[in-house]
């Protein structure tokens, strides 16, 4: 089998005949573990400035954000097709009528071919999924569920506000509703987990009815509760070389059917506390690609079916 792994970019190009770019959208949502519904304070690692572009501000309105994003990407990359990516916080955390207005507003630009919705498994229901299914009849719809970990001990540590069983029930409902583009998002490197426990998530995720996956290393970001914990007592974070070796082994254990959207995170230098790798995004991509090529390894090389589990 050819060395490497299934990447999101080539997958979308195979569907639409050219590169599809994401336009980030901040619709002004919050999260249920911030407003008291499921807790307060949010996830202990979360600082949305670590991934939100400066131009992505809810005060601009969804349509203006999409317009600005498309103008920038069209000029820089000569891009022609786009996905409106609702990324910061929980993007299903509103009444379905409000979600309908915002989603369709983002789709009003003629060059937008779909939407990606970042959310939590405790913030969707049948009515919201029906809305996404309706939209999927005419557009590409990707729903991204933040799971972060399959271990309840970790979900409790990070103040997630839901357990792993909640995630299992939600993705099962999503699949039964006919939503075919379902993504899971995990973080590896929490101090609550051993390396083997992190590695085991490859099998657990592969057994779920998801077909996309985001993976990234834990980052310690200024202004977060995790940063305060880290400053009191440093815990281990991935070195660059160790993470490269980890991600190679992890991908080898993944189902070959999964499409990988992300393999690492790159927070801005001015807010990143650890790990400090001093590598650009392109350098990391090249190093991962080179590692697979040099070793002749590939996604699914060591994959084996695994039963679904819930964890204490």
């Amino acid at each position: 089998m050819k060395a490497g792994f299934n990447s999101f970019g080539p997958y979308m190009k195979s569907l639409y005949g050219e590169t599809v770019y994401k336009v980030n959208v901040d619709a002004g949502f919050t999260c249920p573990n911030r407003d008291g519904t499921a807790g307060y304070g949010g996830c202990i690692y979360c600082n949305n400035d670590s991934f939100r572009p400066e131009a992505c501000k809810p005060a601009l309105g969804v349509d203006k954000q999409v317009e600005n994003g498309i103008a920038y990407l069209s000029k820089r990359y000569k891009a022609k097709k786009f996905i409106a990516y609702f990324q910061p916080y929980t993007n299903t955390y509103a009444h379905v009528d409000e979600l309908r207005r915002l989603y369709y507003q983002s789709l009003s630009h003629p060059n937008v071919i779909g939407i990606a919705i970042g959310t939590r498994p405790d913030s969707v229901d049948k009515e919201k999924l029906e809305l996404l299914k309706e939209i999927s009849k005419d557009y590409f719809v990707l729903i991204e569920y933040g799971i972060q970990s399959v271990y309840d001990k970790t979900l409790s540590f990070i103040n997630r506000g839901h357990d792993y069983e909640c995630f299992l029930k939600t993705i099962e409902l999503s699949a039964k509703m006919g939503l075919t583009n379902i993504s899971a998002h995990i973080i590896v490197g929490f101090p609550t987990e051993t390396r083997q426990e992190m590695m085991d998530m490859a099998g657990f995720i592969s057994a779920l009815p998801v077909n996309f996956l985001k993976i990234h290393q834990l980052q310690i970001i200024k202004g977060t509760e995790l940063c305060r914990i880290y400053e009191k007592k440093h815990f281990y974070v991935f070195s660059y070389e160790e993470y490269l070796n980890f991600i190679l082994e992890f991908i080898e254990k993944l189902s070959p059917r999964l499409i990988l959207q992300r393999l690492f995170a790159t927070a801005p230098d001015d807010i990143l506390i650890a790990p400090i790798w001093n590598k650009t995004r392109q350098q990391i991509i090249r190093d991962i690609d080179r590692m697979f090529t040099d070793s002749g390894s590939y996604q699914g090389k060591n994959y084996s079916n695994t039963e679904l589990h819930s964890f204490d």
Side-chain angles (χ1 to χ4, degrees):
M1 187 171 179
K2 185 179 178 181
F5 48 88
N6 302 324
S7 296
F8 184 71
Y11 172 78
M12 293 300 292
K13 191 172 184 178
S14 72
L15 294 181
Y16 293 96
E18 60 185 285
T19 302
V20 178
Y21 291 81
K22 284 184 177 179
V23 177
N24 290 70
V25 173
D26 186 341
F29 293 106
T30 185
C31 296
N33 65 341
R34 287 179 175 271
D35 67 5
T37 302
Y40 292 97
C43 297
I44 64 172
Y45 56 81
C46 185
N47 179 339
N48 275 267
D49 290 336
S50 65
F51 56 77
R52 177 170 47 195
E54 181 64 25
C56 182
K57 296 180 178 179
L60 291 175
V62 166
D63 51 351
K64 188 63 176 178
Q65 290 179 61
V66 171
E67 181 183 332
N68 289 349
I70 287 178
Y72 171 77
L73 292 169
S74 298
K75 182 178 181 180
R76 182 169 182 180
Y77 301 109
K78 300 189 184 303
K80 297 177 181 178
K81 287 186 171 63
F82 305 90
I83 291 174
Y85 183 22
F86 289 77
Q87 184 180 24
Y89 301 111
T90 304
N91 292 279
T92 56
Y93 195 41
H95 190 276
V96 69
D97 291 340
E98 176 65 1
L99 297 179
R100 178 184 298 276
R101 182 185 70 82
L102 293 169
Y103 295 165
Y104 275 107
Q105 192 177 94
S106 75
L107 292 163
S108 62
H109 194 287
N111 292 350
V112 174
I113 55 90
I115 56 174
I117 307 296
T119 190
R120 294 161 50 99
D122 60 350
S123 297
V124 297
D125 53 33
K126 188 174 181 180
E127 191 175 16
K128 293 173 183 178
L129 292 174
E130 284 176 343
L131 169 61
L132 293 174
K133 185 178 179 180
E134 170 195 311
I135 296 171
S136 71
K137 293 177 182 178
D138 299 306
Y139 299 94
F140 178 85
V141 173
L142 175 62
I143 182 166
E144 299 181 357
Y145 289 116
I147 171 179
Q148 321 313 350
S149 175
V150 304
Y151 303 104
D152 283 347
K153 62 181 180 180
T154 298
L155 297 178
S156 177
F157 170 72
I158 66 176
N159 192 41
R160 188 64 183 167
H162 64 74
D163 58 13
Y164 181 59
E165 188 67 25
C166 174
F167 174 75
L168 293 178
K169 291 178 179 178
T170 299
I171 59 168
E172 181 181 4
L173 176 61
S174 302
K176 286 182 177 179
M177 294 282 294
L179 289 164
T180 56
N181 298 319
I182 304 172
S183 179
H185 179 198
I186 61 171
I187 300 173
V188 294
F190 288 116
T192 49
E193 298 169 13
T194 66
R195 186 183 189 279
Q196 187 58 54
E197 285 175 321
M198 299 173 206
M199 191 62 65
D200 287 345
M201 287 199 287
F204 300 134
I205 297 297
S206 293
L208 300 175
V210 301
N211 45 6
F212 297 88
L213 177 63
K214 283 186 173 181
I215 315 157
H216 72 71
Q217 81 283 11
L218 181 66
Q219 293 188 301
I220 316 299
I221 307 298
K222 285 182 181 179
T224 64
E225 180 60 26
L226 186 63
C227 179
R228 287 183 277 275
I229 294 171
Y230 185 76
E231 287 173 343
K232 289 180 180 178
K233 185 178 181 181
H234 284 200
F235 50 82
Y236 183 80
V237 294
F238 277 108
S239 69
Y240 184 62
E241 291 300 326
E242 183 175 18
Y243 188 71
L244 291 184
N245 291 329
F246 177 90
I247 205 67
L248 172 68
E249 185 179 347
F250 191 90
I251 293 173
E252 288 176 338
K253 293 179 178 294
L254 283 174
S255 168
R257 68 177 175 79
L258 289 169
I259 308 298
L260 304 182
Q261 295 178 265
R262 183 195 294 172
L263 300 180
F264 58 88
T266 52
D269 291 341
D270 61 338
I271 61 173
L272 178 63
I273 300 297
I276 304 297
W277 289 348
N278 294 316
K279 302 285 184 179
T280 66
R281 180 177 179 275
Q282 289 304 317
Q283 286 175 320
I284 300 172
I285 291 172
R286 284 197 299 268
D287 286 346
I288 292 175
D289 286 341
R290 186 182 303 116
M291 184 174 56
F292 274 91
T293 300
D294 291 348
S295 66
S297 190
Y298 54 89
Q299 181 177 336
K301 178 182 178 182
N302 297 320
Y303 167 68
S304 61
N305 291 326
T306 305
E307 294 295 325
L308 292 180
H309 292 281
S310 58
F311 299 89
D312 297 325

